[in-house]
Amino acid sequence: MSVLRWRALLWLTFAFFVIGCGLVQFSRGVALQTDLMALLPPTERNPLAERVIEKLAEVNGNRAVFLVGASNPEVTGKAVRLFAERLRESGVFRRLVAEMPKFDPDQITKTYAGYRFGLLSENDRSAFRSKENDLKERLLRKLHAPFRLGAMFSIEDDPFGLLDSWFSGLPLKDIKLEPEDGLLVARADGRVWGFIFGELSVTAYDSDFQERVVREVTRAENELRTHFEDAGVLRSGAVFYASAARTEAKSEMDFIGTVSTLCIVLLVYLVFRSFLPITLGLLSVGFGVLAAAVLSVSVFGEIHLITLVFGASLIGDTIDYPIQYLSARLGAGKAWDPLSGLRRIAPGLTMALLVGILGYGVLVFLPFPALLQIAAFSITGLSVTWITVLTLLPFFLRSPDSRGANSVISFLQGGLIWFQVKTGKKKCAAVAGALVVFALPGCFSIKWNDEVSLLISRSPDLMRQESRIRDLTGYSGGSQFFLVEGKTPEEVLINEENLSAKLAEMAAQGVIAGFRGISSFVPSRERQMRNRLFWERNIFSDREALRRVLSGTGLHEHVANALIEDFDASKNRFLHVSHWLKAPFSFPYRHLWVGETRHGFASIVLLRDIRDFGRLAALGEGLEGVTFVDKVGSVSRLFRSYREMGCSWLFYAVCLICIVLSARYGCLQAICLLSPALLSMALSMALFGYMGIPMTLFNILSLMLVLCAAVNYAIFMREGGVKVAATLAGVLLSAITDLLSFGLLSFSSTPALSGFGLTLLLGIGASIVLTPGVLVFCRQVES
Amino acid sequence: MKKAVFVLLFLCAGPAISDGDMLERILGGAEQSPVTRAKFEQTKYMSSLKRPLVLSGRLTFSRRDGILWIIDKPYRMTYILSESRIVEIGSDGTARARGQSDLPGLTQISRVFRAMLAADSNALKDYFDVKDINENAGVWEIMLIPRQAQLAQFISGMRLSGARFVDAIEIGETNGDRSTIRFIGAQGDAAPNLEEQKFFHGEFSEKP
């Protein structure tokens, strides 16, 4: 007795320690990681690219964008102001911009006017014919236009419209919003939409804050509807995605957790007909999951949503250990001794734990932060439950359970004994052979999927709103861009200009819709000098002709004089990035300039609507200082390479498990124990193939768990046999709880998790049916 | 006469009736045919010009297709302005088309110009405040000032006058330049003729 007490005390000490740690951690609040991008590993070879991605994500992460629409501009104006006012009052935004500061288009022309002889559009450079007639024609066009076409340079500054055409080439036009009545407005389908931009006062990934933001925005939206029936709001921002993902994950976790707990309680009760086993089972599992959460938080500093959802399904996995011990007790009847019973099942349990650790341990070697957490969580959960079964349970299960097996189990037992008597090795081998023949074509017709969206499930409603906002405003936040580097700002601009020339070709061919880079706003000094040379040769070389053209169309003499004077005076004046960064109108584009880096300077070029990633990637390879950064693409490539590697790991894992099993059971029996697992894996892959559902890296990972679970059943069956009905009940119960919790996981909205769940459901289902075959090969019929 | 009585009533009614409403009443009398043709004479007063620039030509305004603005003197020059693009055909016959993507704000300019020619009170109200309004025996004159910063950058004010059609537009620019357009012999029609359709649909010949 004292041994049992010592063990229980040991557990209690451990439990106090874990609970103490938990209390300390949870009192500080658990950091729940809701940033979906945090799931993705660093993928870029260029470390600067990774930093720039992070910086962009951070900037975007704290932004929220709204469009408030109504069918007439007056209502829109009022609605936008009311909505903005409510959001401002709520205090969740550090900065909220609805009304635009008086934007002065002339300010742009004024900024550039001093540097105008260094500016020229590529089109004019090639089309200009340098004739007096050509100059005159250009002047007449500008002079005779019936109306002024927006922000144009004056006749005095730009008589030939060369600057106007350079200016119209600026990527200002990507943005479809127009200033109107103090707001930025977009019109479509008879509705007028006003633009509101906000910066959150706290990071978007703080859970409590997320809830507050969503609550305040929804409240403002509801109030808006009571005032203006016709008004509508579109929202976009990382904070909404994160909040939706959190709500979704929470409801999934609650669903999986509740349903699997309830079913387990029911099943355990059906088999053991007593509340003590239920209490002990739940205690072991609950403590295991708690310890796993505590460890994850202390190691990683946070828990990711995906870990929680997966963790909920771990309940069904860990319950196996207490069930094994409980059924041993049920089977022993009056002869029960808690320690000798433990001794009998301990090797099987330890084997199962080792296999589990091997299975989840594989995840540790993948570079995905989320999977590492899942692995740590699962391994801790399993180990701690194993410890609980070995130390605490014997103390509570001192007295024997003398009621024996009930009718459900006896029936199953009868079935299995019949199976064992009737089927021989030949029949089993024939069935196995037939299954292999059935599975092979399916396995070969498998399609693969390596998309990032597997790991990141985004709310479809929010995605719809975001794409509508993108259509209306012309803003696009793709994760693909070019990173341009150079030793000096000038070198960056030169490299970017080389890139822009190629991109312009690609835009003409429809590979991309457009691009935005700083060199469009600020040409390199080299190019400015070249442009100046062009002005010099074509316009200012024959100054008499220039005067003739200008005065011939009726312009004052002083126009020509001032033009010539300006040209001569601006000889050594060049536009520099720093000038541009200081100008107020550059504000929406300043993020294009990364600035000083460890190796020099850098900028980024953003792309719109990419239709051919391959060609862009190839472009990045051939140009000096240019890197094509495609986070989504590189994660997909990573998925692919790990999926391919995963297949070979699966093979090594099989070999490893075979060696471990051979050590205890001998080589031949080890192969027998493994074959139901191998067949189950083949069958579940084949079913994916036949159903046409693409398989992913995550299916491969779950096959690893199918392998572990199926080997466990084989071990339990081999150790317990069918003679002891209770042991058999234990094995079946384990299988059913596994099936249940992983089956529930297949309902998850995250494709990675649901794929995981479905593979396990199919694989474990198959292994339950196939495992009795082990009896035929590995154990003599016990009459 | 009836209209004048209305105007009087509105004036007596005091501040309850806004200038915007009045604009609507007055311009409601302007003819709303689908196509209007007129000759025009535009005089541009610009500080950089030695003497005012006088341009004359003809104009077709189609509510559906846009504006066809053909200058005959002193040089043949054609501008076709629709909601989304502007095509210029120069004196040498070369055409140059620019869309919304080349000219930010083109849509807005196009809308303002069409609102002026159509005397469309609703559209005008979106962009302008009524500064002064006069009406006498069906002949009206309206002074407008831009409401929006973007227009106010280059337009200081506008004067529209007319009766059945808009007869004259005077546009004052912020830099002191100004331009007057007089319309002569305006005629309503049901649809653009064949030649005009060709221009609107971009099937113009490259030669003038």
Side-chain angles (χ1 to χ4, degrees):
Chain A
M1 245 347 121
S2 71
V3 180
L4 294 183
R5 187 157 294 161
W6 270 115
R7 286 187 176 223
L9 274 176
L10 203 68
W11 183 86
L12 213 60
T13 321
F14 178 57
F16 270 124
F17 173 71
V18 171
I19 292 169
C21 288
L23 282 177
V24 171
Q25 277 169 4
F26 299 143
S27 65
R28 271 178 289 171
V30 180
L32 191 61
Q33 177 60 269
T34 50
D35 181 2
L36 300 171
M37 291 307 274
L39 289 166
L40 303 181
T43 47
E44 303 308 321
R45 263 178 296 172
N46 184 340
L48 182 61
E50 201 65 48
R51 274 219 308 286
V52 170
I53 292 171
E54 269 169 38
K55 196 174 138 198
L56 283 178
E58 198 185 298
V59 170
N60 287 327
N62 285 339
R63 279 182 183 168
V65 165
F66 304 94
L67 283 185
V68 176
S71 47
N72 90 59
E74 233 162 288
V75 178
T76 303
K78 283 184 194 150
V80 167
R81 285 180 179 99
L82 177 78
F83 191 69
E85 186 58 37
R86 288 293 165 273
L87 292 185
R88 250 183 228 122
E89 282 166 8
S90 72
V92 293
F93 290 98
R94 189 178 51 187
R95 201 159 79 94
L96 195 83
V97 187
E99 285 174 73
M100 298 299 141
K102 276 208 166 177
F103 177 71
D104 182 357
D106 278 352
Q107 176 208 22
I108 304 181
T109 53
K110 272 175 207 146
T111 307
Y112 282 122
Y115 307 100
R116 63 187 190 274
F117 302 112
L119 307 174
L120 191 70
S121 78
E122 285 308 296
N123 220 359
D124 283 335
R125 185 201 298 282
S126 51
F128 201 82
R129 277 165 292 172
S130 156
K131 280 189 211 148
E132 218 171 305
N133 277 344
D134 201 28
L135 283 182
K136 190 176 162 194
E137 177 67 31
R138 283 168 180 271
L139 177 56
L140 286 179
R141 275 188 194 203
K142 178 148 176 166
L143 209 52
H144 288 194
F147 24 69
R148 187 173 160 167
L149 293 165
M152 278 168 53
F153 289 85
S154 66
I155 285 278
E156 290 93 327
D157 282 344
D158 180 33
F160 309 114
L162 287 168
L163 258 88
D164 289 338
S165 77
W166 174 79
F167 189 70
S168 72
L170 291 187
L172 296 162
K173 62 206 173 187
D174 292 356
I175 291 154
K176 292 181 198 159
L177 295 165
E178 292 177 47
E180 195 175 300
D181 230 358
L183 303 174
L184 277 180
V185 161
R187 283 166 197 264
D189 312 324
R191 279 173 85 80
V192 185
W193 297 89
F195 179 79
I196 301 176
F197 164 85
E199 269 173 27
L200 299 173
S201 48
V202 185
T203 162
Y205 303 118
D206 177 314
S207 308
D208 294 333
F209 182 66
Q210 268 170 23
E211 228 169 281
R212 228 180 97 205
V213 174
V214 173
R215 203 171 50 232
E216 293 293 347
V217 169
T218 312
R219 184 185 298 165
E221 215 177 308
N222 290 339
E223 198 186 323
L224 191 70
R225 289 233 177 73
T226 58
H227 284 85
F228 310 99
E229 274 180 22
D230 159 53
V233 177
L234 296 172
R235 56 171 91 167
S236 166
V239 66
F240 302 117
Y241 280 112
S243 162
R246 195 170 56 92
T247 316
E248 181 72 38
K250 197 171 169 300
S251 74
E252 278 174 16
M253 191 182 76
D254 289 348
F255 173 70
I256 296 173
T258 313
V259 175
S260 58
T261 307
L262 283 179
C263 292
I264 286 167
V265 166
L266 188 73
L267 286 168
V268 171
Y269 183 75
L270 275 179
V271 174
F272 299 105
R273 303 290 162 107
S274 157
F275 283 101
L276 184 66
I278 295 177
T279 320
L280 289 177
L282 291 183
L283 181 71
S284 322
V285 168
F287 183 60
V289 172
L290 173 76
V294 170
L295 181 103
S296 298
V297 174
S298 61
V299 171
F300 301 100
E302 61 188 15
I303 287 198
H304 203 284
L305 285 177
I306 208 168
T307 313
L308 283 185
V309 176
F310 192 85
S313 75
L314 194 66
I315 296 172
D317 208 4
T318 49
I319 192 80
D320 293 2
Y321 302 164
I323 283 176
Q324 290 306 311
Y325 190 53
L326 287 165
S327 21
R329 173 167 167 260
L330 189 68
K334 287 206 174 62
W336 172 249
D337 172 58
L339 277 182
S340 60
L342 193 62
R343 243 171 265 133
R344 212 173 52 243
I345 66 150
L349 277 189
T350 312
M351 268 297 182
L353 177 69
L354 278 179
V355 170
I357 290 176
L358 281 180
Y360 284 109
V362 171
L363 300 182
V364 175
F365 298 106
L366 292 169
F368 298 93
L371 296 184
L372 180 65
Q373 222 182 71
I374 286 179
F377 192 95
S378 308
I379 290 174
T380 316
L382 289 175
S383 311
V384 171
T385 310
W386 177 80
I387 290 172
T388 306
V389 172
L390 257 54
T391 55
L392 184 71
L393 261 51
F395 179 74
F396 283 104
L397 297 171
R398 279 164 300 182
S399 60
D401 186 340
S402 50
R403 276 161 308 164
N406 57 49
S407 54
V408 181
I409 300 166
S410 315
F411 172 73
L412 287 170
Q413 189 183 21
L416 279 179
I417 291 174
W418 176 83
F419 168 81
Q420 210 175 350
V421 174
K422 289 287 167 189
T423 45
K425 293 186 180 179
K426 271 184 190 163
K427 279 186 194 166
C428 270
V431 170
L435 285 175
V436 170
V437 171
F438 166 77
L440 277 179
C443 290
F444 283 112
S445 61
I446 284 173
K447 287 194 283 288
W448 302 99
N449 176 7
D450 301 307
E451 274 164 42
V452 178
S453 53
L454 291 172
L455 254 185
I456 298 179
S457 80
R458 308 181 103 194
S459 148
D461 176 48
L462 284 171
M463 291 215 329
R464 200 176 40 73
Q465 292 192 41
E466 187 181 290
S467 85
R468 182 99 175 92
I469 289 178
R470 217 175 14 239
D471 290 347
L472 284 167
T473 61
Y475 275 112
S476 61
S479 62
Q480 294 88 12
F481 58 88
F482 279 99
L483 180 70
V484 184
E485 292 173 275
K487 285 196 187 70
T488 58
E490 172 69 5
E491 206 179 298
V492 173
L493 291 176
I494 292 174
N495 290 343
E496 203 187 293
E497 277 161 356
N498 294 335
L499 172 68
S500 298
K502 301 274 187 214
L503 285 178
E505 283 170 26
M506 296 216 166
Q509 292 162 13
V511 178
I512 49 170
F515 60 96
R516 213 182 304 159
I518 193 171
S519 65
S520 324
F521 295 98
V522 185
S524 65
R525 177 181 286 239
E526 186 193 274
R527 176 157 301 193
Q528 288 185 57
M529 284 163 87
R530 209 143 39 89
N531 288 342
R532 196 183 158 84
L533 205 65
F534 176 92
W535 282 84
E536 170 88 63
R537 279 194 193 136
N538 293 294
I539 293 152
F540 291 97
S541 56
D542 187 351
R543 298 192 172 188
E544 278 323 300
L546 177 64
R547 282 177 210 277
R548 227 173 14 244
V549 168
L550 291 178
S551 59
T553 22
L555 291 169
H556 279 298
E557 308 297 335
H558 68 71
V559 175
N561 291 337
L563 200 66
I564 291 166
E565 240 167 68
D566 268 7
F567 181 76
D568 291 338
S570 64
K571 193 169 180 190
N572 293 312
R573 207 189 297 150
F574 295 100
L575 185 64
H576 188 263
V577 175
S578 60
H579 301 138
W580 183 77
L581 290 174
K582 269 183 233 140
F585 71 87
S586 70
F587 177 73
Y589 306 98
R590 276 178 208 162
H591 60 283
L592 297 173
W593 185 247
V594 176
E596 205 161 349
T597 66
R598 248 175 255 166
H599 313 291
F601 292 83
S603 70
I604 55 175
V605 175
L606 296 181
L607 306 159
R608 275 196 303 137
D609 298 343
I610 303 169
R611 279 166 220 130
D612 186 347
F613 286 90
R615 291 188 59 188
L616 289 174
L619 188 60
E621 315 236 309
L623 287 168
E624 176 86 21
V626 171
T627 318
F628 180 56
V629 182
D630 171 16
K631 184 74 188 169
V632 171
S634 42
V635 172
S636 290
R637 279 193 293 281
L638 199 73
F639 277 164
R640 189 196 155 98
S641 68
Y642 278 99
R643 169 175 56 73
E644 285 163 359
M645 262 191 257
C647 294
S648 43
W649 287 343
L650 211 52
F651 174 74
Y652 296 134
V654 169
C655 297
L656 205 62
I657 290 173
C658 193
I659 293 168
V660 172
L661 291 177
S662 306
R664 184 170 159 81
Y665 305 106
C667 193
L668 259 176
Q669 292 227 356
I671 291 171
C672 290
L673 286 172
L674 260 173
S675 43
L678 294 177
L679 271 176
S680 309
M681 285 155 66
L683 275 177
S684 72
M685 278 174 81
L687 286 173
F688 269 90
Y690 288 129
M691 289 187 291
I693 303 175
M695 285 189 90
T696 69
L697 167 65
F698 302 96
N699 296 101
I700 300 294
L701 294 175
S702 55
L703 283 177
M704 204 75 81
L705 292 182
V706 169
L707 176 66
C708 299
V711 170
N712 278 358
Y713 305 145
I715 295 172
F716 292 151
M717 189 130 331
R718 163 75 179 70
E719 295 279 332
V722 282
K723 177 85 189 312
V724 187
T727 317
L728 176 67
V731 176
L732 284 175
L733 208 52
S734 295
I736 292 169
T737 51
D738 286 353
L739 208 57
L740 189 78
S741 48
F742 291 126
L744 288 170
L745 200 57
S746 61
F747 288 106
S748 171
S749 65
T750 306
L753 289 185
S754 69
F756 217 91
L758 189 60
T759 317
L760 282 162
L761 187 69
L762 294 174
I764 290 180
S767 71
I768 290 174
V769 178
L770 296 175
T771 306
V774 170
L775 294 169
V776 178
F777 289 94
C778 298
R779 255 183 116 91
Q780 295 309 311
V781 179
E782 296 155 71
S783 55
Chain B
M1 259 338 270
K2 211 167 151 194
K3 214 185 283 171
V5 174
F6 272 127
V7 172
L8 266 176
L9 273 176
F10 290 139
L11 289 174
C12 295
I17 305 289
S18 70
D19 286 336
D21 293 326
M22 220 160 109
L23 183 72
E24 208 165 311
R25 299 281 163 171
I26 289 174
L27 293 185
E31 191 153 318
Q32 306 285 316
S33 44
V35 170
T36 309
R37 283 189 202 93
K39 291 201 160 109
F40 70 83
E41 192 180 280
Q42 182 175 27
T43 313
K44 289 188 166 190
Y45 302 87
M46 297 168 84
S47 59
S48 51
L49 286 170
K50 283 180 247 180
R51 63 191 79 83
L53 177 64
V54 182
L55 311 164
S56 61
R58 60 208 150 90
L59 139 96
T60 307
F61 168 59
S62 158
R63 275 167 212 282
R64 206 190 59 203
D65 307 294
I67 301 158
L68 173 61
W69 187 272
I70 302 171
I71 302 171
D72 289 321
K73 277 178 188 168
Y75 298 96
R76 170 76 179 218
M77 206 71 107
T78 306
Y79 296 86
I80 307 147
L81 179 70
S82 68
E83 175 94 10
S84 57
R85 67 171 198 163
I86 177 164
V87 181
E88 302 169 7
I89 306 170
S91 59
D92 57 358
T94 52
R96 178 166 70 143
R98 284 183 289 174
Q100 162 75 15
S101 60
D102 304 311
L103 281 170
L106 175 67
T107 316
Q108 199 184 23
I109 292 150
S110 161
R111 247 183 257 134
V112 170
F113 207 70
R114 287 155 70 150
M116 287 193 295
L117 292 177
D120 176 346
S121 59
N122 272 330
L124 281 174
K125 272 195 294 181
D126 282 354
Y127 296 102
F128 297 97
D129 283 324
V130 179
K131 193 179 163 203
D132 198 6
I133 190 161
N134 288 304
E135 209 251 0
N136 187 11
V139 178
W140 46 263
E141 189 181 65
I142 310 160
M143 278 293 298
L144 300 168
I145 47 171
R147 285 177 59 178
Q148 294 166 13
Q150 205 193 18
L151 272 184
Q153 289 315 315
F154 45 95
I155 293 183
S156 57
M158 255 183 17
R159 188 200 307 273
L160 261 67
S161 56
R164 276 180 57 228
F165 295 97
V166 179
D167 287 339
I169 300 174
E170 184 176 344
I171 305 166
E173 288 187 30
T174 40
N175 58 10
D177 291 351
R178 94 199 137 83
S179 151
T180 60
I181 311 168
R182 286 199 307 118
F183 300 101
I184 308 135
Q187 294 274 314
D189 198 350
N193 63 30
L194 224 63
E195 188 207 353
E196 288 159 352
Q197 275 179 24
K198 274 187 186 163
F199 276 115
F200 283 130
H201 299 134
E203 296 158 10
F204 36 81
S205 60
E206 291 288 299
K207 293 275 170 260

